[in-house]
Amino acid sequence: MMSMEDFIRGIPKAELHLHIEGTFEPELMFAIAGRNNIRLRHKSVEEIRAAYEFTSLQDFLDIYYEGAGILTTEQDFYDLTLAYLRKARSQNVLHSEIFCDPQTHTARGVDFSTVMEGIHRAVTDAAEESGISAKLIICFLRHLDESAAMETLEQALAFKDRIIAVGLDSTEVGHPPSKFRRVFDRARSEGFLTVAHAGEEGPAEYIRQALDLLKVSRIDHGIHCLDDRALTEELARRRIPLTVCPLSNLRLRVIDTMESHPVREMMRSGLMVTINSDDPAYFGGYVNENYLAVATAFGMTKEDIGRLAKNSFTASFLSRQEKDRMTAKVDEYMKQYG
Ligand code: ADE
Ligand code: ZN
């Protein structure tokens, strides 16, 4: 019989919560820093990896923004994105919805268009190379104010055909979704879909705000929803997807052990759960390692994994037709190996 690891490796899946800046592997950091004449604080790849011991989301973000600060040219964004898409395809990811944080780059004088062009060229080349499809979601940094987000949205308008949705990320506690109500109203009126990180470190109330005020199609993380029963029931009834990132939660100490992760309870509550890697270069695993971590911690069955993989397509921003085509692939795989 096929091992769980091989079963997870082979199953067709989508990834819906992935920060492109969080895929920046130390080897590529050295290569790009070298050609941009940037001196790194660490002397080796090993030294960089050894520094990845995080105590909280903020502790991680400080290091993550430092890494992202190396990215300067269109080629840098191209190389970063192509490397991720190749890795994802090697894990049988057929579709990925990629976050990027434009403000992290524009604040340093990198043009919005440089970021867009580099990512877009890689998405096009990867699709041609392996058939993987990708969509782009730009996130507003919630530790900055709403006017900065609005400026970013204005810049995004010229790239409407390349951006499927806007999101909200960075430091959560103290920066509730309500702070970004007007910019999300504007984004929706311009035709963008909306998502938001909510209930990662923050309370269930932030998930409520993301739903009611930002009118999001998906909640990123959302693991604190179980603290509010009415909210959990509503998320389940409306089939609002939650993009859960188990290794991220463990590495950022949102949970103490994988066995205490709420994902099992979330699935039992009828929620549309998906499994994702968040910032894989920093958290020690891409999407398959995340599936394996929860499968091992909870003794999940192949049926459970099949459901999570199917959810990943159902919860995506693919067209109805594409969703049907992709979920049929999961069904086929289940019939053969499940
Ligand atoms: N930016 C990159 N990863 C993030 C996370 N897990 N939460 C909030 N902002 C992020
Ligand atoms: Zn995230």
Side-chain angles (χ1 to χ4, degrees):
M1 209 176 66
M2 194 189 244
S3 71
M4 183 53 97
E5 197 171 346
D6 286 345
F7 181 78
I8 287 170
R9 190 176 298 137
I11 200 164
K13 59 187 79 68
E15 176 148 60
L16 307 178
H17 185 151
L18 180 282
H19 301 264
I20 199 64
E21 296 89 348
T23 70
F24 204 2
E25 294 285 355
E27 290 81 358
L28 189 59
M29 273 184 195
F30 270 100
I32 292 183
R35 72 192 187 203
N36 290 346
N37 296 312
I38 294 170
R39 260 182 68 93
L40 298 186
R41 191 155 57 86
H42 299 289
K43 281 189 274 310
S44 67
V45 161
E46 294 70 33
E47 213 180 283
I48 293 185
R49 287 220 168 85
Y52 293 169
E53 282 287 335
F54 312 113
T55 56
S56 66
L57 173 58
Q58 190 60 54
D59 185 41
F60 155 70
L61 288 170
D62 293 341
I63 289 174
Y64 162 87
Y65 291 131
E66 185 183 345
I70 299 165
L71 299 161
T72 312
T73 66
E74 192 257 13
Q75 189 66 38
D76 298 345
F77 289 95
Y78 175 86
D79 290 346
L80 178 71
T81 307
L82 189 63
Y84 161 67
L85 288 169
R86 283 179 173 161
K87 175 71 184 181
R89 188 64 191 79
S90 80
Q91 295 204 338
N92 280 306
V93 172
L94 304 187
H95 175 70
S96 180
E97 299 188 352
I98 298 174
F99 294 134
C100 83
D101 289 340
Q103 287 160 291
T104 300
H105 313 299
T106 53
R108 298 179 286 118
V110 175
D111 279 352
F112 190 93
S113 62
T114 300
V115 181
M116 291 295 116
E117 299 294 348
I119 294 175
H120 185 73
R121 186 159 63 89
V123 165
T124 307
D125 285 357
E128 196 170 307
E129 182 179 281
S130 72
I132 190 170
S133 68
K135 293 185 185 290
L136 184 62
I137 301 172
I138 60 158
C139 286
F140 304 125
L141 299 180
R142 68 203 302 163
H143 67 272
L144 302 177
D145 60 25
E146 191 183 35
S147 66
M150 198 65 92
E151 240 173 74
T152 304
L153 177 61
E154 303 275 357
Q155 292 175 302
L157 295 179
F159 299 90
K160 242 185 198 180
D161 58 332
R162 297 181 183 183
I163 301 168
I164 184 79
V166 302
L168 192 61
D169 68 359
S170 193
T171 316
E172 185 181 13
V173 175
H175 302 283
S178 57
K179 180 176 160 187
F180 296 92
R181 186 182 191 154
R182 279 162 299 191
V183 70
F184 272 67
D185 278 347
R186 173 86 199 280
R188 279 183 282 100
S189 77
E190 293 287 353
F192 294 103
L193 295 168
T194 61
V195 298
H197 282 55
E200 177 186 14
E201 279 188 344
E205 166 59 18
Y206 284 17
I207 303 173
R208 169 56 66 198
Q209 286 185 16
L211 275 185
D212 293 352
L213 305 181
L214 308 187
K215 309 203 188 306
V216 296
S217 305
R218 291 197 297 250
I219 298 285
D220 296 314
H221 293 293
I223 60 171
H224 288 125
C225 70
L226 297 178
D227 297 339
D228 181 336
R229 192 168 167 159
L231 173 69
T232 303
E233 284 172 7
E234 182 176 336
L235 289 166
R237 181 172 48 76
R238 293 175 57 193
R239 296 175 64 75
I240 302 283
L242 297 113
T243 62
V244 173
C245 308
L247 288 174
S248 164
N249 298 148
L250 186 65
R251 295 294 298 273
L252 300 187
R253 313 241 188 125
V254 179
I255 53 167
D256 293 329
T257 61
M258 195 51 79
E259 290 73 19
S260 63
H261 197 288
V263 65
R264 189 46 147 169
E265 199 50 41
M266 291 169 78
M267 291 171 76
R268 286 211 181 99
S269 302
L271 294 169
M272 164 88 71
V273 172
T274 67
I275 298 293
N276 309 273
S277 70
D278 206 6
D279 302 287
Y282 291 90
F283 301 149
Y286 284 76
V287 71
N288 285 356
E289 287 74 33
N290 277 272
Y291 273 80
L292 189 60
V294 293
T296 305
F298 297 103
M300 284 186 182
T301 63
K302 291 178 178 170
E303 280 300 315
D304 293 326
I305 299 302
R307 185 165 133 215
L308 290 167
K310 222 164 159 171
N311 284 352
S312 73
F313 292 114
T314 307
S316 75
F317 293 140
L318 288 168
S319 68
R320 175 83 265 155
Q321 246 179 346
E322 288 168 312
K323 285 185 192 186
D324 289 348
R325 198 166 63 82
M326 296 292 176
T327 51
K329 284 186 195 234
V330 179
D331 286 337
E332 188 54 40
Y333 186 85
M334 291 302 291
K335 228 189 279 169
Q336 205 168 349
Y337 305 107

